[in-house]
Amino acid sequence: MQTMMEHAVLISGAGPTGLMLAAELALAGVDAALVERRCDQGVVGSRAMGLHARTLEVFDQRGIVERFLSQGKRHSAVMFHVPLDISDLATRHNYTLGLWQRHTERILAEWIDELGVPIYRGCELVAVSQSDAGAAGELSNGRHFKAQYVVGCDGARSLVRRSAGIDFRGSPPTTSWLIAEVAASQQPPWGFRENETGIHAIGEAENGLVRLVLVEKQLQLDNQPTLEDIREALIAIYGSDFGIHDPTWISRFTDATRQAAVYRQGRILLAGDAAHMHPPMGGRGLDLGIEDAVNLGWKLAQVLKRISSAELLDTYQAERHPVAARVLQITMAQATLRRPEVRLKAVGNVIAELLRMNDARKHMAVEMAGLAVRYDSGEGDPLLGHRMPDLEVMSGSGAVRVFTLLHAARPVLLNFQQPGAFNLSPWADRVRLIDATFDGQWHIPAVGPVAAPAAVLIRPDGYIAWTGDRRGVGLSNALETWFGAREPGTHLTGLAPPELQ
């Protein structure tokens, strides 16, 4: 007998993006579930090697960053062609955190378990369809499901994306790399080696294994390379295979770069690698997916709770698609600069020289750390659309960090002027009002020092939706745009201007 499972949101894929999205929905009180083909959270191979500053800020906003920091190693640089120091960036997390993806996923999965989100393991979606009323489909174990929304976090070969008929456009591959984790009977030379094929790398993986990343002489598209392929490549590059044996992971990746034409098709949405794929230069893929999740989660929750109309989901596409397009552009540039052609090497040398200039270094470092994102929020204060800095403010209960106020994934209105300047009773169940004080300038990595506004409205994902003063000009519009209409018969009162009363 076939069984039916029903959830408000079904997320396909319990990788970092899917896990983060499930957590965001759970914090908002939404019935979400994950479907994952792996029987446990184990990751084959080390995969992503670390977390960038903005992702660490996101985890800090949810009160879980220490779980990651306790198990990783801090590095004061990001990579764009050459290492770029980020120790002087205006963030509490002015470093990258070396932490293999298996640990990142394990920590997120433990958090998901605490939040009570179910994960259906050992199966995957095999069919998805949708109507005006919702989505439905079948799993590989024969079970059927219904959901109001399905989110594809199921990787670059996303079945969810293909089921929705969403184009995955971009640049075809020109170069391929072999990547493997193996045991070796001889110690190979650690670090990078360059030859006429490209730049190769050998490093230490976990458990005493050797991690190899080798450029292939000719483009190969077979995604199931063998140990013999690795041996042949090592001998060609290093003159020895170093007695490699017992591989735990062998894979191949290319410089193909693609992005979904749209991130939403009716009741189907995409996030993470299902929405964008690129080679791993710069290490931005995992971080990009995490921020997709925190941008989408609160919006989807508000639509499901009928706080906002489904049009709010269009802002997910409008905000995140350009961010991914920018990351893809930068990644393509990095992949191109690694080619061995003499003319490209000349370009690379000039770029390396430019990046030694402090302004150029800072500009690209902010970009690679994920701190340059600004969502288009229209005209107004230049702070609009930037991520909120983690200030330490004084509230009625004492000193508190702004990121601490975001742990519950609720919007916050911070009032830095006379207490009682705003009465948010129409939105009291949705927006938290904090009267606080702060002395000094704000420091925005992508902007520099700016004068502190009198009040600021912060979205659940940590981005600024409104700034102003006790007159409240534009506040009601920002509240209604992002957090739903005021209740019938209620008004903003207190010191708000006449047009808001």
Side-chain angles (χ1 to χ4, degrees), residues 137-153:
E138 184 179 356
L139 305 182
S140 57
N141 60 7
R143 296 186 69 178
H144 288 71
F145 71 86
K146 290 182 180 178
Q148 292 186 53
Y149 287 91
V150 170
V151 185
C153 301

Side-chain angles (χ1 to χ4, degrees), residues 53-65 90-93 371 386-393 400-410 412 414 432 458-463:
R54 181 54 192 159
T55 301
L56 295 170
E57 288 191 339
V58 167
F59 292 155
D60 206 346
Q61 290 173 184
R62 297 299 180 256
I64 60 171
V65 71
T91 170
R92 292 182 191 272
H93 303 288
L371 299 171
H386 282 290
R387 109 282 185 244
M388 179 70 188
D390 187 22
L391 311 174
E392 185 172 285
V393 302
V400 61
R401 288 172 49 205
V402 169
F403 283 6
T404 302
L405 302 175
L406 296 172
H407 284 185
R410 286 185 60 192
V412 174
L414 268 179
R432 185 180 179 188
I458 311 167
R459 307 188 329 185
D461 56 358
Y463 287 84

Side-chain angles (χ1 to χ4, degrees), residues 257-329:
T257 305
R258 300 186 186 280
Q259 186 173 20
V262 295
Y263 285 10
R264 177 191 172 212
Q265 189 76 271
R267 298 285 181 147
I268 292 176
L269 297 119
L270 305 174
D273 289 351
H276 37 73
M277 63 169 282
H278 56 84
M281 289 75 179
R284 294 293 306 281
L286 188 154
D287 304 82
L288 196 58
I290 293 290
E291 277 231 67
D292 285 348
V294 297
N295 185 287
L296 175 60
W298 64 275
K299 296 174 180 177
L300 186 53
Q302 288 188 178
V303 171
L304 288 163
K305 291 180 172 184
R306 300 187 178 181
I307 293 171
S308 302
S309 73
E311 291 179 355
L312 182 63
L313 296 177
D314 293 335
T315 68
Y316 170 61
Q317 155 88 20
E319 292 182 341
R320 294 305 297 167
H321 198 278
V323 171
R326 174 67 172 162
V327 171
L328 265 60
Q329 181 183 51

Side-chain angles (χ1 to χ4, degrees), residues 51-54 56 74-80 83-97 361-371 445:
L51 302 169
H52 285 293
R54 181 54 192 159
L56 295 170
R74 303 182 192 196
H75 303 275
S76 62
V78 293
M79 177 67 73
F80 178 84
L84 304 174
D85 178 48
I86 61 171
S87 61
D88 60 345
L89 298 189
T91 170
R92 292 182 191 272
H93 303 288
N94 53 353
Y95 48 85
T96 56
L97 186 72
R361 186 269 307 173
K362 261 195 170 179
H363 174 82
M364 191 53 68
V366 168
E367 189 87 51
M368 298 308 297
L371 299 171

